[in-house]
PDB file of all heavy atoms in Angstrom:
ATOM      1  N   ASN A  22      -3.299  17.032   2.082  1.00 98.00           N
ATOM      2  CA  ASN A  22      -4.400  17.270   3.041  1.00 98.00           C
ATOM      3  C   ASN A  22      -4.567  18.751   3.352  1.00 98.00           C
ATOM      4  O   ASN A  22      -5.682  19.265   3.389  1.00 98.00           O
ATOM      5  CB  ASN A  22      -4.120  16.560   4.375  1.00 98.00           C
ATOM      6  CG  ASN A  22      -4.164  15.059   4.254  1.00 98.00           C
ATOM      7  OD1 ASN A  22      -4.583  14.541   3.235  1.00 98.00           O
ATOM      8  ND2 ASN A  22      -3.729  14.369   5.296  1.00 98.00           N
ATOM      9  N   GLY A  23      -3.437  19.419   3.609  1.00 98.00           N
ATOM     10  CA  GLY A  23      -3.477  20.833   4.007  1.00 98.00           C
ATOM     11  C   GLY A  23      -4.067  21.680   2.896  1.00 98.00           C
ATOM     12  O   GLY A  23      -4.957  22.518   3.138  1.00 98.00           O
ATOM     13  N   ARG A  24      -3.608  21.454   1.660  1.00 98.00           N
ATOM     14  CA  ARG A  24      -4.115  22.247   0.536  1.00 98.00           C
ATOM     15  C   ARG A  24      -5.602  21.983   0.299  1.00 98.00           C
ATOM     16  O   ARG A  24      -6.353  22.888  -0.029  1.00 98.00           O
ATOM     17  CB  ARG A  24      -3.298  21.942  -0.737  1.00 98.00           C
ATOM     18  CG  ARG A  24      -1.995  22.740  -0.800  1.00 98.00           C
ATOM     19  CD  ARG A  24      -1.046  22.173  -1.818  1.00 98.00           C
ATOM     20  NE  ARG A  24      -0.451  20.929  -1.335  1.00 98.00           N
ATOM     21  CZ  ARG A  24       0.133  20.034  -2.119  1.00 98.00           C
ATOM     22  NH1 ARG A  24       0.171  20.219  -3.427  1.00 98.00           N
ATOM     23  NH2 ARG A  24       0.683  18.958  -1.590  1.00 98.00           N
ATOM     24  N   TRP A  25      -6.011  20.739   0.484  1.00 98.00           N
ATOM     25  CA  TRP A  25      -7.431  20.402   0.310  1.00 98.00           C
ATOM     26  C   TRP A  25      -8.277  21.284   1.233  1.00 98.00           C
ATOM     27  O   TRP A  25      -9.295  21.827   0.831  1.00 98.00           O
ATOM     28  CB  TRP A  25      -7.645  18.921   0.623  1.00 98.00           C
ATOM     29  CG  TRP A  25      -9.050  18.452   0.438  1.00 98.00           C
ATOM     30  CD1 TRP A  25      -9.601  17.931  -0.699  1.00 98.00           C
ATOM     31  CD2 TRP A  25     -10.102  18.462   1.426  1.00 98.00           C
ATOM     32  NE1 TRP A  25     -10.921  17.626  -0.490  1.00 98.00           N
ATOM     33  CE2 TRP A  25     -11.256  17.939   0.807  1.00 98.00           C
ATOM     34  CE3 TRP A  25     -10.178  18.860   2.763  1.00 98.00           C
ATOM     35  CZ2 TRP A  25     -12.472  17.791   1.484  1.00 98.00           C
ATOM     36  CZ3 TRP A  25     -11.391  18.734   3.439  1.00 98.00           C
ATOM     37  CH2 TRP A  25     -12.517  18.199   2.797  1.00 98.00           C
ATOM     38  N   ALA A  26      -7.821  21.416   2.491  1.00 98.00           N
ATOM     39  CA  ALA A  26      -8.565  22.211   3.469  1.00 98.00           C
ATOM     40  C   ALA A  26      -8.482  23.701   3.128  1.00 98.00           C
ATOM     41  O   ALA A  26      -9.499  24.404   3.133  1.00 98.00           O
ATOM     42  CB  ALA A  26      -8.015  21.946   4.867  1.00 98.00           C
ATOM     43  N   GLU A  27      -7.263  24.160   2.817  1.00 98.00           N
ATOM     44  CA  GLU A  27      -7.076  25.597   2.548  1.00 98.00           C
ATOM     45  C   GLU A  27      -7.934  26.047   1.367  1.00 98.00           C
ATOM     46  O   GLU A  27      -8.516  27.133   1.396  1.00 98.00           O
ATOM     47  CB  GLU A  27      -5.585  25.894   2.300  1.00 98.00           C
ATOM     48  CG  GLU A  27      -4.791  25.993   3.620  1.00 98.00           C
ATOM     49  CD  GLU A  27      -3.298  25.709   3.459  1.00 98.00           C
ATOM     50  OE1 GLU A  27      -2.794  25.742   2.310  1.00 98.00           O
ATOM     51  OE2 GLU A  27      -2.635  25.446   4.485  1.00 98.00           O
ATOM     52  N   LEU A  28      -8.044  25.188   0.360  1.00 98.00           N
ATOM     53  CA  LEU A  28      -8.868  25.518  -0.811  1.00 98.00           C
ATOM     54  C   LEU A  28     -10.331  25.724  -0.436  1.00 98.00           C
ATOM     55  O   LEU A  28     -11.075  26.408  -1.130  1.00 98.00           O
ATOM     56  CB  LEU A  28      -8.793  24.383  -1.847  1.00 98.00           C
ATOM     57  CG  LEU A  28      -7.562  24.370  -2.751  1.00 98.00           C
ATOM     58  CD1 LEU A  28      -7.471  23.059  -3.523  1.00 98.00           C
ATOM     59  CD2 LEU A  28      -7.627  25.554  -3.724  1.00 98.00           C
ATOM     60  N   ARG A  29     -10.737  25.132   0.672  1.00 98.00           N
ATOM     61  CA  ARG A  29     -12.127  25.245   1.128  1.00 98.00           C
ATOM     62  C   ARG A  29     -12.293  26.222   2.278  1.00 98.00           C
ATOM     63  O   ARG A  29     -13.342  26.261   2.916  1.00 98.00           O
ATOM     64  CB  ARG A  29     -12.625  23.842   1.548  1.00 98.00           C
ATOM     65  CG  ARG A  29     -12.887  22.963   0.356  1.00 98.00           C
ATOM     66  CD  ARG A  29     -12.891  21.486   0.696  1.00 98.00           C
ATOM     67  NE  ARG A  29     -13.122  20.722  -0.515  1.00 98.00           N
ATOM     68  CZ  ARG A  29     -12.188  20.462  -1.432  1.00 98.00           C
ATOM     69  NH1 ARG A  29     -10.955  20.903  -1.253  1.00 98.00           N
ATOM     70  NH2 ARG A  29     -12.483  19.782  -2.523  1.00 98.00           N
ATOM     71  N   GLY A  30     -11.223  26.940   2.587  1.00 98.00           N
ATOM     72  CA  GLY A  30     -11.280  27.892   3.696  1.00 98.00           C
ATOM     73  C   GLY A  30     -11.380  27.215   5.053  1.00 98.00           C
ATOM     74  O   GLY A  30     -11.860  27.801   6.017  1.00 98.00           O
ATOM     75  N   LEU A  31     -10.940  25.973   5.128  1.00 98.00           N
ATOM     76  CA  LEU A  31     -11.029  25.215   6.388  1.00 98.00           C
ATOM     77  C   LEU A  31      -9.651  25.131   7.040  1.00 98.00           C
ATOM     78  O   LEU A  31      -8.629  25.314   6.368  1.00 98.00           O
ATOM     79  CB  LEU A  31     -11.518  23.781   6.093  1.00 98.00           C
ATOM     80  CG  LEU A  31     -12.917  23.641   5.482  1.00 98.00           C
ATOM     81  CD1 LEU A  31     -13.155  22.218   4.993  1.00 98.00           C
ATOM     82  CD2 LEU A  31     -13.970  24.043   6.513  1.00 98.00           C
ATOM     83  N   PRO A  32      -9.589  24.836   8.342  1.00 98.00           N
ATOM     84  CA  PRO A  32      -8.274  24.629   8.974  1.00 98.00           C
ATOM     85  C   PRO A  32      -7.603  23.373   8.411  1.00 98.00           C
ATOM     86  O   PRO A  32      -8.302  22.425   8.008  1.00 98.00           O
ATOM     87  CB  PRO A  32      -8.608  24.461  10.464  1.00 98.00           C
ATOM     88  CG  PRO A  32     -10.060  24.124  10.516  1.00 98.00           C
ATOM     89  CD  PRO A  32     -10.702  24.699   9.296  1.00 98.00           C
ATOM     90  N   ARG A  33      -6.270  23.375   8.381  1.00 98.00           N
ATOM     91  CA  ARG A  33      -5.532  22.242   7.806  1.00 98.00           C
ATOM     92  C   ARG A  33      -5.942  20.914   8.448  1.00 98.00           C
ATOM     93  O   ARG A  33      -5.959  19.866   7.789  1.00 98.00           O
ATOM     94  CB  ARG A  33      -4.015  22.451   7.984  1.00 98.00           C
ATOM     95  CG  ARG A  33      -3.446  23.590   7.148  1.00 98.00           C
ATOM     96  CD  ARG A  33      -1.957  23.770   7.430  1.00 98.00           C
ATOM     97  NE  ARG A  33      -1.221  22.524   7.203  1.00 98.00           N
ATOM     98  CZ  ARG A  33      -0.739  22.146   6.019  1.00 98.00           C
ATOM     99  NH1 ARG A  33      -0.910  22.921   4.966  1.00 98.00           N
ATOM    100  NH2 ARG A  33      -0.090  21.014   5.906  1.00 98.00           N
ATOM    101  N   THR A  34      -6.288  20.980   9.741  1.00 98.00           N
ATOM    102  CA  THR A  34      -6.646  19.736  10.438  1.00 98.00           C
ATOM    103  C   THR A  34      -7.898  19.088   9.825  1.00 98.00           C
ATOM    104  O   THR A  34      -8.047  17.869   9.852  1.00 98.00           O
ATOM    105  CB  THR A  34      -6.868  19.988  11.937  1.00 98.00           C
ATOM    106  OG1 THR A  34      -7.768  21.086  12.076  1.00 98.00           O
ATOM    107  CG2 THR A  34      -5.574  20.322  12.639  1.00 98.00           C
ATOM    108  N   ALA A  35      -8.778  19.923   9.247  1.00 98.00           N
ATOM    109  CA  ALA A  35      -9.968  19.357   8.584  1.00 98.00           C
ATOM    110  C   ALA A  35      -9.518  18.512   7.385  1.00 98.00           C
ATOM    111  O   ALA A  35     -10.143  17.489   7.065  1.00 98.00           O
ATOM    112  CB  ALA A  35     -10.898  20.474   8.135  1.00 98.00           C
ATOM    113  N   GLY A  36      -8.443  18.933   6.745  1.00 98.00           N
ATOM    114  CA  GLY A  36      -7.898  18.158   5.627  1.00 98.00           C
ATOM    115  C   GLY A  36      -7.339  16.824   6.102  1.00 98.00           C
ATOM    116  O   GLY A  36      -7.487  15.800   5.433  1.00 98.00           O
ATOM    117  N   LEU A 214      -5.386  15.676  -4.702  1.00 98.00           N
ATOM    118  CA  LEU A 214      -4.995  15.841  -3.302  1.00 98.00           C
ATOM    119  C   LEU A 214      -5.456  14.590  -2.549  1.00 98.00           C
ATOM    120  O   LEU A 214      -6.483  13.993  -2.909  1.00 98.00           O
ATOM    121  CB  LEU A 214      -5.638  17.105  -2.728  1.00 98.00           C
ATOM    122  CG  LEU A 214      -5.261  18.394  -3.498  1.00 98.00           C
ATOM    123  CD1 LEU A 214      -6.121  19.572  -3.038  1.00 98.00           C
ATOM    124  CD2 LEU A 214      -3.781  18.717  -3.340  1.00 98.00           C
TER     125      LEU A 214
END
Side-chain angles (χ1 to χ4, degrees):
N22 292 350
R24 277 164 286 162
W25 182 91
E27 280 156 17
L28 279 169
R29 286 159 181 79
L31 297 169
R33 292 177 56 86
T34 51
L214 302 170

